[in-house]
Amino acid sequence: MTAELVRGQNHPLSQVRLEIRVSAGTPIVAGATLGDEDGRVQGVEGVAHPGSPALPGLEVSRQAAADHRLAVDLAAVPEAVHRVSVLLALPAGTGGPARFGLVAAPFVAVTGLDGAEIASYTITGLDAETAVVALELYRRAGAWKVRAVGQGYAGGLAELLADQGLPEARQLAAGVDEAVSRGLARSVQAPVPRPVDGDRFRQPAARGPEHGGTPAQGSAGSAAPQPVTRQGLQDPYGPQAPVGPGQSGQQNAHPGGATPADPAVTPSSGPADPSALTPPGAPATPPGGPSAAPAAATGPIDYTHPGRRNATPPPPPPAAPPAPPGEPARPVAGDATGWSMEERLYNQVWGMFEDLARTTAAYRSAVDFADSRREKELDQVLSDPRARIGGQGDAARDAAHDKYARLVDQATEALDRDLAQLAVEAEVVEPALPPAYAGWDSPVWHGYRVPMEMPMALRIGDLQLPEAPQLRIPMLVRLPLERGFWIDSAGSGSSDGTFADDHELRHLAMTTAVAHAARLLAVHPAGEFTVHVIDPAGSAVQPLAPLVRAGVLAGPPAVGAAGVADVLGRLTQRVDLVQMAVRGGAADSLPPGFDTSQQLLVVNDFPHGFDDRAVTQLRYLADEGPAFGVHLMMVADREDASGYGPLLDPLWRSLLRLTPVPDDHLADPWVGHAWTYGPSLVPPGSQVLGQVLAQVAEARRTWRG
């Protein structure tokens, strides 16, 4: 039975390999400290946090999230460690709750590797505190116990760490905040919460024993049979309860049996920080319910999507006929829940993304386990002087290497099988994607017509992993945009080994921005999306030519300091007017003829041509603009703006960083893989962009009358 602890109560631990699960209902930072008998931490190397998540016998999340799983192996912690304290803190500077008194009581559970709860603790009574020691695992007379602590600190992590005797507490707390903040600019959007298909599971990442988990293995150490899930793909994590997509792939115990959706799963980290922000989506009524009339030019502004529903969507369409015995299930385009084919395809693409993330995590975990096991067996051979000499030692070494090879071969076989199934599904899904989701090389663009309503998402590139370079998953972001884009024009080598000089990379960055802006114009109805361009030095004439020739911009690209000031002034005034009207409940009082369309500002070569006032206005648009229909797309090298110091850090963090060349800087919200992002560009020599923009321009002229 689970021991439900109250503050100060302890409970013996019968296992040394544990998992600590945290549910908070809002994104928080989870960490841990390794302390001596007095609970004092000897240095920063004794603190596990998102910026340094792994210590001997301990691994914490690399992100701020509403749900966490911490892996603990008490047999692997150093002998000098007598206390393992689990810390929770609210991330600073992210716009979230400012104190624990404003959020649901955090829930912490200590479980075995089989998921069975050993002890749980609901941390109540918090108010002004921003950091708390949730519980501690402590060693007493050679045995380990868990104690519910619940000690809060209004001074945050700095005060908490200082109380544990850490001299560098303030500097480390600042480093943790910075690590969490960096993740917000390197995140991949996760899909909004939706009902879970009966055949698609969301489960925690598999971990090998060296990370506090267990490999899937039989009694002889070989990989155990695994249950088959979605379209024949194997679930490498064992049979567990399905988890909703808003929960970051973690099904955690929570009081009352509920598990809160995670609005900010943070990228998720590792080489890339795997935080994922759940995009906004204001639902409308289901079919048959009242429909909201489109806002008039002088009426209330409604930026919600009419296709987003509150009610439970219908189940997926009937499955394809069963495959012959021994063959994988035949994939079907749109094999997911949703009100429309568009929504089903969106959910299916995210399912493929998750499947690839998890099957790769299982493969990497299995290989890590095999390597760890081989090293352990070789160490045992070398530690015995009798085995180091003669045939006995050679036989033991050969056996260790053979066992390693068998385990890796089994993992590779499972990976190859899953990748083959995903490749077949991708071949079926890709041709069925609508223009908003399709690549520029898709035939669907040759039949393009200006849409009558905004789609629910937009493709901005492709994602792939090194284990499957041939498999590219569309990267979709929800509409309307809640984050702007930063196209990084910094000169560096791409992940595919190619290099571009500074001039070429800036040109590629602006070409990428034009492709994104053109797609945004193409997927919105006529008159519902407007693009402004700031090109202070006039260096982007060639990349901007398709937009300028088609006449789809709000005006000529602004050049010089005067042009910069004019565009920023008009957009700032627009945000002010809409903000005052909406907050004052007087949206119908906007001036006659006021443009209520979504606005995109493309800025090239920042900060060239920007004075201090212009920089302040740009920051204002980044902070306040998205909520009132004004979005940014920055084409810039951050190093060029280094003279502003930390003043611009919030600006960069508020934007989703993209690159004009393949780069592995993004991460998924489930297991934190570093994914290689490649932009969605128009194929060289293709006329499709001009043809699409010509239709957009004609539709805009007709709409204006």
Side-chain angles (χ1 to χ4, degrees):
M1 293 182 61
T2 302
E4 297 182 1
L5 305 180
V6 297
R7 185 172 182 176
Q9 186 179 359
N10 60 44
H11 185 76
L13 296 173
S14 58
Q15 306 176 43
V16 293
R17 286 181 177 173
L18 307 165
E19 188 171 69
I20 299 175
R21 304 182 180 186
V22 180
S23 294
T26 192
I28 61 172
V29 179
T33 59
L34 302 180
D36 58 18
E37 290 181 335
D38 298 324
R40 299 182 66 83
V41 182
Q42 299 304 312
V44 294
E45 64 277 3
V47 183
H49 57 84
S52 178
L55 295 178
L58 177 64
E59 184 177 2
V60 304
S61 303
R62 294 176 169 90
Q63 70 263 7
D67 301 309
H68 291 271
R69 294 188 178 216
L70 285 63
V72 180
D73 184 355
L74 296 174
V77 300
E79 286 295 327
V81 172
H82 288 261
R83 292 191 193 181
V84 179
S85 300
V86 177
L87 322 176
L88 308 178
L90 294 171
T94 60
R99 54 190 177 89
F100 273 111
L102 299 177
V103 303
F107 176 79
V108 187
V110 180
T111 74
L113 296 182
D114 57 356
E117 282 190 13
I118 300 171
S120 64
Y121 173 41
T122 302
I123 310 173
T124 58
L126 299 178
D127 185 12
E129 296 85 351
T130 59
V132 60
V133 178
L135 50 78
E136 65 178 11
L137 313 177
Y138 65 98
R139 183 168 14 206
R140 184 68 52 84
W144 286 91
K145 295 183 178 182
V146 57
R147 176 187 290 123
V149 180
Q151 176 62 52
Y153 296 83
L157 266 180
E159 183 181 354
L160 185 156
L161 294 171
D163 193 41
Q164 294 195 1
L166 187 66
E168 308 92 337
R170 190 169 299 278
Q171 296 90 326
L172 181 57
V176 173
D177 290 338
E178 178 63 23
V180 172
S181 298
R182 282 198 306 267
L184 297 180
R186 305 170 67 183
S187 61
V188 178
Q189 287 179 316
V192 296
R194 58 182 171 85
V196 181
D197 299 9
D199 60 349
R200 175 167 293 160
F201 289 170
R202 297 254 175 159
Q203 286 150 356
R207 299 183 184 275
E210 70 279 13
H211 296 302
T214 54
Q217 59 178 359
S219 58
S222 59
Q226 299 168 345
V228 175
T229 60
R230 193 178 74 89
Q231 296 187 357
L233 291 180
Q234 284 193 343
D235 176 9
Y237 313 101
Q240 299 180 8
V243 183
Q247 296 168 355
S248 180
Q250 298 177 351
Q251 180 69 36
N252 293 338
H254 196 266
T259 306
D262 182 4
V265 189
T266 65
S268 284
S269 298
D273 196 7
S275 106
L277 303 179
T278 301
T285 54
S291 59
T298 57
I301 301 173
D302 183 8
Y303 290 127
T304 61
H305 186 272
R308 296 178 185 169
R309 322 288 184 181
N310 269 327
T312 301
E327 295 185 12
R330 297 189 183 99
V332 177
D335 184 17
T337 57
W339 288 107
S340 63
M341 187 63 173
E342 176 195 22
E343 186 174 357
R344 293 199 296 270
L345 286 169
Y346 172 82
N347 291 336
Q348 186 172 13
V349 167
W350 272 100
M352 294 166 59
F353 180 33
E354 180 179 355
D355 286 340
L356 181 55
R358 296 198 183 284
T359 194
T360 304
Y363 170 76
R364 293 179 180 178
S365 179
V367 172
D368 287 344
F369 167 70
D371 185 64
S372 174
R373 179 171 180 166
R374 178 180 59 176
E375 292 299 320
K376 182 178 180 180
E377 291 176 352
L378 291 176
D379 288 342
Q380 290 175 346
V381 172
L382 295 175
S383 64
D384 186 354
R386 295 169 298 177
R388 290 200 296 264
I389 304 174
Q392 182 180 356
D394 294 337
R397 281 188 287 269
D398 291 342
H401 288 298
D402 289 343
K403 194 176 298 181
Y404 168 82
R406 286 199 305 273
L407 290 175
V408 172
D409 287 345
Q410 290 171 353
T412 303
E413 181 182 356
L415 175 68
D416 290 343
R417 181 177 59 249
D418 288 350
L419 292 183
Q421 181 66 20
L422 279 171
V424 173
E425 185 174 8
E427 291 175 358
V428 173
V429 171
E430 187 71 40
L433 296 178
Y437 301 174
W440 283 110
D441 57 351
S442 172
V444 73
W445 285 106
H446 295 285
Y448 167 78
R449 294 293 182 269
V450 177
M452 299 301 293
E453 68 173 22
M454 178 180 68
M456 65 184 300
L458 180 85
R459 184 174 187 160
I460 59 172
D462 298 310
L463 298 168
Q464 62 182 122
L465 289 172
E467 286 82 358
Q470 78 286 356
L471 189 60
R472 297 177 180 271
I473 306 296
M475 179 178 175
L476 306 178
V477 295
R478 290 298 293 260
L479 293 177
L481 298 173
E482 191 173 71
R483 296 178 68 182
F485 301 132
W486 164 29
I487 315 297
D488 191 355
S489 61
S492 61
S494 68
S495 61
D496 61 5
T498 60
F499 289 83
D501 60 33
D502 184 69
H503 176 75
E504 181 183 358
L505 203 59
R506 290 176 186 270
H507 179 84
L508 285 172
M510 196 60 199
T511 301
T512 302
V514 169
H516 291 328
R519 184 184 289 266
L520 282 163
L521 283 166
V523 303
H524 281 81
E528 292 192 12
F529 199 84
T530 304
V531 177
H532 309 261
V533 175
I534 290 179
D535 184 23
S539 60
V541 173
Q542 183 178 352
L544 287 170
L547 298 177
V548 175
R549 279 199 304 264
V552 294
L553 297 178
V559 296
V564 171
D566 177 61
V567 172
L568 290 177
R570 285 188 282 111
L571 290 178
T572 301
Q573 184 182 43
R574 182 189 187 282
V575 171
D576 287 340
L577 283 173
V578 178
Q579 188 179 62
M580 288 187 294
V582 171
R583 291 179 177 175
D588 56 352
S589 64
L590 289 169
F594 185 84
D595 181 11
T596 59
S597 66
Q598 299 273 312
Q599 310 283 314
L600 175 70
L601 174 59
V602 181
V603 179
N604 184 40
D605 272 352
F606 177 80
H608 183 82
F610 281 71
D611 56 20
D612 290 346
R613 175 179 172 81
V615 170
T616 301
Q617 289 177 317
L618 192 68
R619 283 193 55 189
Y620 175 75
L621 292 177
D623 293 339
E624 302 293 337
F628 302 99
V630 177
H631 314 283
L632 285 183
M633 185 182 294
M634 302 276 292
V635 180
D637 179 353
R638 186 171 181 175
E639 192 63 29
D640 292 342
S642 59
Y644 288 95
L647 177 67
L648 293 181
D649 285 354
L651 172 65
W652 304 118
R653 288 197 297 264
S654 70
L655 304 174
L656 176 61
R657 177 176 174 254
L658 303 175
T659 54
V661 293
D663 188 77
D664 57 353
H665 67 284
L666 294 175
D668 63 76
W670 299 292
V671 291
H673 293 318
W675 291 73
T676 296
Y677 164 82
S680 180
L681 300 176
V682 180
S686 174
Q687 303 300 314
V688 67
L689 182 61
Q691 296 167 4
V692 168
L693 290 178
Q695 291 199 43
V696 171
E698 179 61 29
R700 288 162 64 93
R701 285 191 291 269
T702 303
W703 175 76
R704 289 170 181 165

